[in-house]
Amino acid sequence: MDAEALKIFQEAPHVRLGSCPTARNAAFSASPSPSGSVIASIASLSTCLLPTEKGKRCDACHTLPRNGLSLRRCSGCASFWYCGTVCQNHAWRAHHKKLCKPFNAFAVSTTYQALSAHDQVDAQLLSQMVADPLSWNLSVRHNNLDEPHEAFLDLLKGPRGEDFELPFCLPKGTAAAEAFHLAKELYSRFGNNNFVLHSHLNAYAHGVFPLASRLFNHSCVPNAACKYVIKPSEPVTMQIVALQDIAPGEEITIPYLDPALPYQIRREALDANYGFACKCRLCVFERGIEPVDPPPERGSSALRDLEASLRAFSLGSDIQTLRVPKTPGAFESMSAALRLVFHESYLPGLSELFSKTSHEGPYLDAVESGLTLLALYVLVYPPNYPQTGMHALELTKTIWNLICTAGADLPARETDVLEAQVQRFLAISADILENFGPEGDGGGPWEEIETLKDALSV
């Protein structure tokens, strides 16, 4: 790492930006970052709710209505909602003063309606950013990455920005030529640099966090992950959390997409949206085993044997002493026979089966498919990955439902075994999610964990 290239940042004091042979730069840990620690805390430059969340959350701070209070609807456009005057005034000064009157006409225009739902949200983001032209100085670069607008302009242009024109809401009286030039410059950067915000790992908005985009490279085997902190009347904050102990001088990476997606989908998405080919351990492994044969048919004895072997490899053969890997890369030591689980059809099919049976039954089938899905997750995801913790919690609730619905029909011995499984999976979920820490809206999985702990202690 080139010492002259190192920089320090107000929102990421434990991070240094240094040279990297495979990317423009890389973020390195400047000090020991224990697992679960917050490496960086970065305020958003601009955010926009998904259509499904409009009217349910404050358009500025993203909080849900609380203490019996309702959201306040903008009396001008009736298309934006706020939790109070603080957020409404902030949004008005930032962009809504210029977008309020023309927004509804823009939202029903044929060009806007022709966009995908994803691009419609981005079009609103772009409109908000273009509405404040004085904040953007395209002719002068001070390279002050602590200033969000400068950090944004320091981002590399993406592969999509040059040949794709995203429509945006043009306020009346705005100089069209200057606005279109600014919009093109901005979109060429944020089309591949914005983030999908989530609460309890459910997507609810898009957002622009320039410093995070500038600092952190992608890996499908990351040692850190993003979470979003929602507080009333404050901009949403992204926190970068260490998934494992990170040593000084070690690169900090985050996932730009779900590492459990099939390899070809990840490869194509990274190339189309970011213009690079990932060379992480997982991609190198999956590229080396292509083409992967399809697994046996669902319901066959061959598939049952394969899934039993997968569970034994990933979690151990004894359910009572079940353990999850503490180091990434377990897939590299799996047998050739198990590689069938990396076929593009296997994970989606297994996930759909667990979702269906965990809600509709039979619960015994849900427990088996859920345990197999956990075995696959701990194989693909790095240790302490939040999706693994969320699935372990869903598996816990599924087994608890089985115990509660069976009641006296379930032999005492089987009840004892199932309750032991509940305890084990709940402990796995709690360890992972407590390492990640609370995020998004209040309650959620952390509240469910405490409820289950109380139920088991009775």
Side-chain angles (χ1 to χ4, degrees), residues 49 53 55-59 62-64 71 199 204 230 441:
L49 294 176
E53 300 295 314
K56 299 178 182 178
R57 297 176 178 274
C58 174
D59 273 287
H62 299 178
T63 55
L64 296 168
L71 296 175
S199 173
Y204 76 86
I230 301 173
D441 305 311

Side-chain angles (χ1 to χ4, degrees), residues 14 32-40 224 240-246 435-436:
H14 304 293
S33 298
S35 181
S37 62
V38 176
I39 299 170
I240 308 297
V241 181
L243 297 178
Q244 60 199 56
D245 293 342
I246 302 176
N435 183 82
F436 191 56

Side-chain angles (χ1 to χ4, degrees), residues 331-400:
F331 48 81
E332 293 170 337
S333 60
M334 68 192 304
S335 67
L338 285 179
R339 294 174 181 174
L340 299 180
V341 302
F342 281 94
H343 188 268
E344 60 183 9
S345 67
Y346 181 69
L347 177 57
L350 180 62
S351 181
E352 181 179 353
L353 176 63
F354 173 69
S355 178
K356 184 176 187 299
T357 54
S358 64
H359 289 92
E360 303 173 9
Y363 287 126
L364 282 174
D365 290 352
V367 172
E368 182 173 339
S369 60
L371 185 57
T372 304
L373 189 56
L374 179 64
L376 186 58
Y377 279 168
V378 300
L379 183 67
V380 174
Y381 289 132
N384 292 321
Y385 204 71
Q387 274 82 350
T388 304
M390 290 291 284
H391 177 67
L393 178 58
E394 288 300 311
L395 183 54
T396 301
K397 293 189 291 185
T398 298
I399 301 174
W400 186 247

Side-chain angles (χ1 to χ4, degrees), residues 46 48-49 99 103 106-107 109 111-113 115-131 160 164-170 183 187 190-191 194 206:
S46 186
C48 184
L49 294 176
L99 299 180
F103 179 78
F106 170 68
S109 66
T111 53
Y112 180 81
Q113 290 296 320
L115 298 173
S116 66
H118 174 93
D119 284 331
Q120 285 183 350
V121 179
D122 279 358
Q124 292 188 44
L125 266 178
L126 182 62
S127 300
Q128 292 175 179
M129 296 170 73
V130 174
R160 191 183 181 192
F164 182 81
E165 292 186 5
L166 191 70
F168 62 96
C169 185
L170 185 66
Y187 184 72
F190 94 62
N194 60 357
H206 290 186

Side-chain angles (χ1 to χ4, degrees), residues 151-170:
F152 184 87
L153 293 175
D154 193 56
L155 300 175
L156 295 176
K157 295 183 179 180
R160 191 183 181 192
E162 292 299 323
D163 57 4
F164 182 81
E165 292 186 5
L166 191 70
F168 62 96
C169 185
L170 185 66

Side-chain angles (χ1 to χ4, degrees), residues 246-310:
I246 302 176
E250 184 177 351
E251 184 180 1
I252 302 166
T253 57
I254 61 174
Y256 291 178
L257 42 63
D258 186 349
L261 288 170
Y263 168 69
Q264 287 295 340
I265 293 178
R266 299 200 314 273
R267 183 185 65 80
E268 291 170 5
L270 291 172
D271 179 61
N273 296 321
Y274 303 99
F276 70 83
C278 182
K279 298 179 181 179
C280 73
R281 294 170 67 179
L282 181 59
C283 286
V284 170
F285 170 78
E286 291 193 73
R287 188 159 52 245
I289 64 173
E290 286 196 308
V292 179
D293 293 331
E297 290 187 9
R298 179 63 58 187
S300 67
S301 59
L303 184 62
R304 286 193 291 272
D305 291 343
L306 173 66
E307 292 183 335
S309 297
L310 172 64

Side-chain angles (χ1 to χ4, degrees), residues 194-256:
N194 60 357
F195 291 82
V196 176
L197 282 64
H198 49 74
S199 173
H200 309 159
L201 305 186
N202 294 313
Y204 76 86
H206 290 186
V208 182
F209 298 82
L211 185 60
S213 299
R214 183 65 180 85
L215 291 180
F216 301 105
N217 291 328
H218 162 82
S219 174
C220 303
V221 191
N223 55 12
C226 306
K227 69 177 183 180
Y228 299 91
V229 179
I230 301 173
K231 293 182 179 180
S233 304
E234 295 184 16
V236 176
T237 299
M238 172 197 285
Q239 291 186 345
I240 308 297
V241 181
L243 297 178
Q244 60 199 56
D245 293 342
I246 302 176
E250 184 177 351
E251 184 180 1
I252 302 166
T253 57
I254 61 174
Y256 291 178

